[in-house]
Amino acid sequence: MSHRPTSAAPHLRRLVELLAAGAPAEELGAVAAEARRAGVDARDLAEVEGATEAALRVRNTLRQHRRRETELTALFDTAGDLAALRDLDAVLRSIVRRARMLLGTDTAYLTLADEEAGDTYMRVTDGSVSELFQNLRLQLGEGLGGLVAQTARPYASPDYRTDGRFLHTGSIDAGVLDEGLVAILGVPLLLGSGSGGQVIGALFAADRTPRTFAPEEVALLCSLADHAAIAIDTARTMADARLALAELAEANAVIREHSAAMQRAAESHDRLTDLVLRGGDVSDVAAAVAGLLKGEVAVHDGAGWPLTSTGERSGGGTDGREHPAGAEETTAVEGAARAEKAAGAEETAGAEEAAALVAAAESSRATAHAVFRDGRWVCAVLAGQELLGCLVLYGRPELDDPDRRLFERSSVVTSLLLLLRRSVAETENRVRGDLITDLLTAPDRDPAGLVARGRRLGIDLDRPHFLLVARTGDAARERLADAAVQYLFGCGGVSAVHEGAAVLLLPCDGTGPGTAARAAAGQLGRLAGVPVTVAGAGPAAGPRAIADAHAEGVRCLRAMHVLGRDGGGACAAELGFVGVLLGDDHDVDGFVAATLGPLLEYDAQRGTQLVRTLRAYFGCGGSLTRAKEELHVHVNTVVQRLDRIHALLGPGWNTPEQTLELQLALRLHLLSGG
């Protein structure tokens, strides 16, 4: 019985089905073996075997197409990532991850050049497990990565540890060994093309087993590397663009600020100019500058003393401490002494403040700019090299350049006004000085005419005035005359030079001629730069009284020189019994009260006998024993009373000069019925 050969058709159909199902090559190859076992004749078997080979080729072609499709999809996705670039690190991580997936390697990583360090470092890794490997740094020419960066060409090593084409180093080999890598493929990240391209890093794919990388794998990794280079370059370009935009915005802000400052400066200049043209004063300038600079402004003269201010900036005053109830009763004399001491302290503080301002103004003059001293801005007010004064700004610790220039420009306007004021004052003072000369030389010639002339010049001679006579050395006489004009500026007074001395007539301010003389001596000395002696007289009203006050002031000035009190200020009443002899009114009661006042008041309030004890002490030649017999008290009582006298009159009460005045006052007091 013969067997009929099996047809080849079922086996061919099987090949088509397996090919359509994407079966592996092993299953396709098994179809020919099945046909042979099934007894297919030789001719049909040859057809089956040929069809199997064709199916395997088709399978390989389809696999390559699918692989290429996957690669293209990955490249398109990467391109999409680049188009929507937001985070460079995220894009680089995506590229490295796709490289590892497409090449089917155990790990992939990307290195970038560090221009400052001159080497390359690991930027992104995927599939790495070694911290040592992830922190590797490669010098140019070291390891496979160094060779790629140096030559700008791809390199593949099937077995890194035995490959001698590149320089092995201990650190790199240790990192590769710690990661367990064997086969490594590296391609450069290039910016530009040809020989002018710049290598900014490298992209790697690596396996932990030996492997040979196919050309298409190298090409794929190069494509991904190109995308990575584009991403890095785009990120850098965007960063440069953002930086340029920020710099442009900053420059634009500076331009706007400068434009605003220029406009503000122009408006400020127009405002100050208009103020001057409308006849504004220094106080108006200070108020305008304070408004422009949002602070408090004060103008001081060349000696540092205030001319005007927009805020409350005066020193001195009490210490703010209260005296407890039940303390020892304070006499009026002790209170007056304490008030005088406080006034002296305030004057000292004012002098120190003025000296500090002058020093700051000198610094401003030296630098030709405003200076910041002691929490305030100070700008010198100059006329050529002459220091007319200074402009002071409070409340602005920070002053930018535009405001600082505005402040400095305001000092120029202030100097113009001060010069104008001084020029006007000098002219007025010359006219008024003629009036003073006529008052002092011929007060009785035409009293009503003198009073009328005074009113036309703004001086009411019928009102009480202090008359001050000031003198200094012959070399500084002209400076003293100028200083007198500056001192009286703005207070309604007038000055003139008469018989070699400066004569100042100023309205009474509620103090006394001695206080006015001391204030003038200190200020005139600072303005003239030499010690000035000032004698005060008055109050005096009317031409004859003013002339008599001048005569008394001249006598007082002569007495101050004889008594060695040059450089100070006083009135006749403050010169003790000498003042009584020199004064026109011979104020005996005033002399007694000024000399014995503390003792008289103490006796009146407490019923003691300090005045009687002092008279007995002097009458007994300073003998305690004889004094206690005359007073009929114990010697200890005399000592205690003398201690109280010492406390009330001060430590100099028993000096020869003071003793003379005390004895004269005691005698006058006794003669007057005391």
Side-chain angles (χ1 to χ4, degrees):
M1 182 176 176
S2 62
H3 295 281
R4 188 177 179 180
T6 304
S7 172
H11 300 288
L12 294 175
R13 188 169 52 253
R14 174 65 175 165
L15 281 174
V16 174
E17 292 173 350
L18 290 174
L19 188 60
E26 293 81 5
E27 293 186 16
L28 291 174
V31 172
E34 291 177 359
R36 192 178 295 111
R37 287 195 299 271
V40 176
D41 60 21
R43 183 180 175 182
D44 289 341
L45 182 60
E47 289 291 335
V48 172
E49 289 176 349
T52 300
E53 292 177 1
L56 288 172
R57 287 195 301 270
V58 171
R59 178 186 177 277
N60 288 335
T61 300
L62 290 174
R63 187 182 67 173
Q64 290 175 357
H65 278 278
R66 282 194 295 269
R67 177 178 178 180
R68 187 59 181 166
E69 182 181 358
T70 303
E71 293 173 355
L72 290 174
T73 301
L75 293 176
F76 284 137
D77 291 342
T78 303
D81 292 342
L82 293 178
L85 179 62
R86 294 293 183 271
D87 183 358
L88 177 61
D89 284 336
V91 173
L92 294 180
R93 283 195 298 269
S94 176
I95 291 174
V96 171
R97 189 180 309 111
R98 286 176 182 140
R100 179 188 175 199
M101 177 188 68
L102 293 175
L103 270 68
T105 56
D106 295 324
T107 183
Y109 52 96
L110 184 145
T111 63
L112 289 181
D114 188 337
E115 296 179 358
E116 294 184 1
D119 59 5
T120 59
Y121 66 98
M122 291 285 185
R123 178 64 181 268
V124 180
T125 63
D126 189 75
S128 173
V129 295
S130 168
E131 183 178 354
L132 178 62
F133 179 77
Q134 295 166 12
N135 293 307
L136 275 180
R137 300 188 74 92
L138 292 76
Q139 298 294 329
L140 191 65
E142 294 181 354
L144 180 64
L147 185 61
V148 170
Q150 186 178 34
T151 62
R153 293 175 55 191
Y155 275 89
S157 175
D159 189 348
Y160 177 87
R161 284 168 287 189
T162 61
D163 198 332
R165 292 176 298 167
F166 42 80
L167 177 63
H168 288 264
T169 65
S171 60
I172 298 176
D173 287 353
V176 171
L177 179 62
D178 194 52
E179 187 65 54
L181 300 182
V182 177
I184 302 176
L185 168 62
V187 297
L189 272 62
L190 282 170
L191 291 181
S193 59
S195 59
Q198 177 189 1
V199 179
I200 61 172
L203 179 62
F204 299 88
D207 262 338
R208 294 187 175 90
T209 56
R211 171 178 175 174
T212 300
F213 292 95
E216 59 270 18
E217 293 177 321
V218 176
L220 174 61
L221 196 61
C222 285
S223 297
L224 292 172
D226 291 341
H227 283 80
I230 293 172
I232 294 171
D233 185 50
T234 302
R236 289 179 177 176
T237 303
M238 292 177 64
D240 292 341
R242 284 193 293 268
L243 179 60
L245 286 174
E247 292 176 349
L248 183 61
E250 184 177 354
N252 191 27
V254 171
I255 292 173
R256 285 199 304 270
E257 182 179 351
H258 180 69
S259 176
M262 293 293 291
Q263 182 178 358
R264 183 183 179 197
E267 293 173 353
S268 302
H269 182 267
D270 293 343
R271 180 174 176 182
L272 292 176
T273 302
D274 181 65
L275 189 151
V276 173
L277 293 177
R278 286 189 291 103
D281 202 353
V282 174
S283 59
D284 299 321
V285 173
V289 176
L292 291 169
L293 297 180
K294 310 300 182 186
E296 294 182 14
V297 174
V299 182
H300 293 250
D301 62 18
W305 295 92
L307 294 176
T308 185
S309 174
T310 61
E312 296 295 331
R313 291 203 167 269
S314 59
T318 63
D319 59 4
R321 290 174 292 185
E322 298 181 357
H323 296 282
E328 183 178 355
E329 191 177 79
T330 302
T331 67
V333 175
E334 290 170 340
R338 194 160 47 240
E340 183 176 356
K341 182 178 179 181
E346 183 175 349
E347 183 177 353
T348 301
E352 293 175 352
E353 172 74 2
L357 284 175
V358 171
E362 290 292 349
S363 178
S364 172
R365 174 164 65 176
T367 60
H369 291 290
V371 297
F372 189 70
R373 295 287 187 278
D374 301 325
R376 63 203 169 187
W377 288 93
V378 180
C379 187
V381 177
L382 303 173
Q385 289 301 313
E386 180 186 358
L387 182 65
L388 298 179
C390 60
L391 203 61
V392 186
L393 174 64
Y394 300 90
R396 287 292 304 274
E398 298 294 334
L399 204 61
D400 55 20
D401 287 341
D403 283 351
R404 185 170 177 175
R405 286 193 295 270
L406 172 59
F407 182 54
E408 293 167 352
R409 184 177 298 178
S410 303
S411 71
V412 177
V413 177
T414 305
S415 68
L416 292 176
L417 285 178
L418 288 180
L419 281 175
L420 179 62
R421 286 179 58 179
R422 187 168 73 178
S423 194
V424 171
E426 289 174 350
T427 303
E428 291 180 349
N429 198 70
R430 281 194 295 270
V431 177
R432 293 177 175 181
D434 296 338
L435 173 64
I436 296 299
T437 301
D438 292 343
L439 272 173
L440 301 182
T441 55
D444 299 323
R445 181 181 304 167
D446 184 11
L450 291 174
V451 172
R453 283 173 59 189
R455 287 199 180 99
R456 286 195 298 270
L457 296 174
I459 305 172
D460 187 358
L461 297 179
D462 288 333
R463 291 182 56 191
H465 285 76
F466 289 136
L467 188 135
L468 307 180
V469 184
R471 190 184 298 275
T472 187
D474 293 339
R477 187 172 298 170
E478 291 186 4
R479 279 186 287 165
L480 176 59
D482 293 338
V485 174
Q486 295 182 53
Y487 177 67
L488 294 177
F489 187 74
C491 74
V494 62
S495 67
V497 177
H498 184 70
E499 296 179 351
V503 179
L504 294 82
L505 188 66
L506 63 159
C508 293
D509 58 0
T511 58
T515 302
R518 280 187 292 276
Q523 185 72 340
L524 291 174
R526 282 185 285 270
L527 292 172
V530 293
V532 177
T533 307
V534 181
R544 168 46 58 189
I546 292 174
D548 293 342
H550 172 259
E552 181 178 330
V554 171
R555 293 194 300 270
C556 180
L557 192 68
R558 190 181 305 117
M560 290 176 66
H561 177 67
V562 173
L563 295 174
R565 297 180 64 170
D566 290 332
C571 64
E574 295 173 340
L575 299 182
F577 72 92
V578 175
V580 174
L581 297 176
L582 295 175
D584 288 336
D585 54 2
H586 302 294
D587 185 10
V588 174
D589 292 338
F591 169 68
V592 172
T595 307
L596 298 176
L599 305 185
L600 293 170
E601 185 175 352
Y602 195 90
D603 285 347
Q605 290 181 354
R606 292 170 173 77
T608 55
Q609 298 185 18
L610 297 183
V611 174
R612 181 168 177 258
T613 301
L614 186 61
R615 186 186 305 119
Y617 177 72
F618 284 143
C620 295
S623 171
L624 296 176
T625 303
R626 292 170 55 193
K628 66 100 176 176
E629 292 175 353
E630 182 173 337
L631 295 170
H632 304 291
V633 295
H634 194 274
V635 68
N636 290 341
T637 303
V638 178
V639 172
Q640 291 173 0
R641 291 178 180 178
L642 291 177
D643 287 341
R644 174 57 63 181
I645 292 171
H646 177 87
L648 293 174
L649 298 182
W653 72 276
N654 56 356
T655 60
E657 181 180 355
Q658 188 73 9
T659 298
L660 176 61
E661 294 205 2
L662 285 171
Q663 293 190 57
L664 180 58
L666 287 169
R667 180 60 59 89
L668 292 174
H669 179 59
L670 183 63
L671 292 175
S672 65

